[in-house]
Amino acid sequence: PYMGLVFSGDGWVISTNLSDGLVNVEEANYSWNVSDNVNLTFGSQAEPYGLAWGLHRPSNNWFVTTPRDHSVTNGIGVNASVGGVGVDFLYGGGTEDYWASRVSYELSGLGIDSEIGLSFNGNDAQLLDVSVSSSIFETSFEYDLSEEADGAYWARGVVNPLGGLHILVGYDSNEEVLYGVGYKCSDNLKLSSELSGDGDTAIRFSYSF
């Protein structure tokens, strides 16, 4: 079970979740807009690494499951963007120096939004991500380029053929296949169902306010 609460104000964010009977603080940070294209963030924040961040929150994820774990680190983050090119960098990690970075490029045209990103971090990880979306579909893909990962990847797609109905398909390097159907009852309420290749079924109602 997962329940999350996000509190935000002018430049600050505190996000928490209730899981396994414990209240966990995910983010607690303050952001400062240095200019129109540069932003600094101080405190606990998501690592700029791939696409998985945010998908752990039911309101942001049509699937019941998440493609991989996400990481939150205490430090100083820098975000800069110009002409479709974005650069995110985080330095911190507590007692040991740690850094993570993602460079991305966005392109839009003919009603389709595309983004490609390349991520690195202080643990010699390397990750390629691609996302493509429109009013009727969205797809996400991550491929781990590091030697330790041995070609690990995941891909997920959502198709919206009619009204609030959504069809879900997922696959990863462990040969796990996911199928599902979702329905957007309103801007706040979503229903998701998911069936794995092993026959496991999960159903979730998600309400955001």
Side-chain angles (χ1 to χ4, degrees):
Y2 179 103
M3 183 182 73
L5 288 176
V6 179
F7 305 91
S8 62
D10 187 12
W12 61 270
V13 172
I14 298 177
S15 65
T16 65
N17 69 66
L18 177 63
S19 182
D20 297 327
L22 301 175
V23 177
N24 306 299
V25 177
E26 296 176 346
E27 298 172 285
N29 59 66
Y30 176 78
S31 296
W32 173 44
N33 293 323
V34 180
S35 68
D36 292 340
N37 300 320
V38 180
N39 180 273
L40 296 179
T41 302
F42 306 88
S44 178
Q45 56 196 287
E47 289 190 15
Y49 190 76
L51 301 172
W53 170 253
L55 292 180
H56 68 291
R57 292 178 178 154
S59 59
N60 297 340
N61 184 14
W62 271 107
F63 288 83
V64 179
T65 57
T66 54
R68 65 172 175 83
D69 292 335
H70 61 277
S71 298
V72 177
T73 300
N74 189 44
I76 300 175
V78 181
N79 170 265
S81 60
V82 59
V85 178
V87 178
D88 293 276
F89 181 80
L90 172 65
Y91 179 80
T95 57
E96 297 183 2
D97 291 339
Y98 179 78
W99 62 270
S101 181
R102 178 174 180 263
V103 179
S104 61
Y105 178 71
E106 297 181 1
L107 181 65
S108 299
L110 301 176
I112 298 177
D113 299 322
S114 304
E115 182 177 0
I116 183 170
L118 188 61
S119 303
F120 308 90
N121 66 24
N123 293 329
D124 296 326
Q126 303 173 36
L127 188 74
L128 174 70
D129 64 76
V130 178
S131 61
V132 181
S133 63
S134 72
S135 59
I136 61 173
F137 74 90
E138 60 181 74
T139 60
S140 301
F141 172 78
E142 280 190 355
Y143 184 85
D144 200 320
L145 301 171
S146 63
E147 295 182 2
E148 294 80 3
D150 194 23
Y153 67 88
W154 61 264
R156 294 188 171 200
V158 180
V159 179
N160 178 17
L162 179 65
L165 178 67
H166 289 70
I167 299 174
L168 320 173
V169 179
Y171 189 74
D172 61 28
S173 52
N174 294 323
E175 299 184 352
E176 181 180 6
V177 182
L178 301 174
Y179 306 95
V181 176
Y183 186 76
K184 186 176 182 180
C185 306
S186 68
D187 290 339
N188 304 98
L189 178 62
K190 292 193 304 186
L191 168 64
S192 299
S193 66
E194 190 174 297
L195 174 66
S196 71
D198 297 330
D200 296 329
T201 304
I203 299 175
R204 183 187 66 209
F205 288 93
S206 171
Y207 185 80
S208 58
F209 58 92

